[in-house]
């Protein structure tokens, strides 16, 4: 099975304007989605997609384009959907960032920090506090070392445990984040 090439922002925009519009599945957190998203897209957070993909793919019969901030989470989602039997999946190359850089239409809501920025803040604060506190308690320097090792592993494996944990915080969640709400929204779209 070969993964189809990603879809660049120009091609997706042309498809949305002139062709049969694909189903846009945005796998960012509800907070990120609320901040900015492509009009007509559906928010299906990555962790929810993993847990309920068999229910979700039952409502995805047309072409599907997976969107995230830059492409990493979309790649993970695309793989999960393919493993569940969905073959008509594409990834928006460069994610919402590339879409916005091209100046294409977006819907905006309450601004919130994206997950990557939150990870940088939390990791930086942990290292800073551990190093400063190690002046008093020398063993705390190892907290910074462990975090550095964790970030290295995250880069090598292209995963982020801290990001997945932060995605579950109330700040990054929304009322429409349940599997039932997502499936109901996808089902309503199929009846239109």
């Amino acid at each position: 099975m070969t993964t189809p090439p990603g879809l660049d922002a120009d091609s997706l925009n042309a498809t949305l304007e002139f062709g049969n519009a694909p189903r846009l599945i945005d796998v960012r957190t509800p907070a990120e989605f609320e901040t900015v998203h492509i009009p007509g897209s559906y928010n299906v957070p990555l962790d929810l997609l993993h847990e309920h993909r068999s229910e979700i793919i039952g409502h995805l019969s047309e072409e599907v384009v997976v969107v995230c901030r830059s492409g990493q989470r979309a790649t993970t989602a695309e793989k999960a959907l393919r493993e569940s039997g969905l073959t008509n999946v594409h990834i928006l190359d460069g994610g919402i960032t590339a879409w916005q850089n091209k100046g294409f239409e977006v819907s905006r809501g309450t601004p919130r920090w994206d997950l990557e920025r939150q990870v940088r803040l939390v990791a930086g604060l942990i290292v800073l506090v551990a190093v400063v506190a190690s002046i008093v308690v020398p063993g705390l320097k190892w907290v910074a070392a462990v975090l550095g090792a964790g970030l290295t592993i995250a880069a090598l494996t292209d995963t982020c445990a801290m990001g997945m944990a932060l995605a579950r915080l109330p700040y990054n969640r929304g009322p429409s984040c349940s599997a039932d709400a997502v499936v109901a929204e996808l089902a309503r779209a199929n009846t239109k």
Side-chain angles (χ1 to χ4, degrees), residues 23-172:
R23 184 72 63 98
L24 301 177
I25 302 296
D26 192 319
V27 295
R28 296 175 300 146
T29 66
E32 290 174 295
F33 183 80
E34 180 186 341
T35 298
V36 63
H37 62 272
I38 299 171
S41 58
Y42 296 86
N43 186 218
V44 184
L46 185 58
D47 60 333
L48 190 129
L49 182 131
H50 273 293
E51 293 172 23
H52 300 278
R53 62 184 151 200
S54 59
E55 299 165 57
I56 291 168
I57 66 170
H59 301 284
L60 300 174
S61 57
E62 63 279 317
E63 291 291 313
V64 173
V65 176
V66 185
V67 179
C68 68
R69 181 183 171 275
S70 61
Q72 181 179 338
R73 285 177 275 177
T75 301
T76 302
E78 182 266 345
K79 181 179 177 191
L81 291 171
R82 283 192 178 280
E83 288 172 354
S84 295
L86 199 63
T87 58
N88 53 350
V89 187
H90 305 277
I91 299 167
L92 176 59
D93 289 335
I96 191 76
T97 302
W99 183 265
Q100 288 179 285
N101 288 343
K102 290 287 188 168
F104 296 134
E105 181 184 1
V106 293
S107 295
R108 294 190 183 277
T110 305
R112 301 216 188 155
W113 283 15
D114 61 59
L115 201 55
E116 182 181 313
R117 186 175 180 190
Q118 293 176 49
V119 168
R120 290 191 313 255
L121 173 71
V122 171
L125 282 174
I126 292 171
V127 169
L128 178 64
V129 168
V131 169
V132 171
S134 72
I135 294 169
V136 177
V137 182
L140 286 179
K141 67 184 176 194
W142 295 108
V143 171
V146 168
L147 185 61
L151 291 172
T152 302
I153 291 168
L156 292 173
T157 61
D158 203 19
T159 62
C160 185
M162 186 183 293
M164 290 184 285
L166 289 172
R168 290 187 164 91
L169 293 176
Y171 174 82
N172 290 314

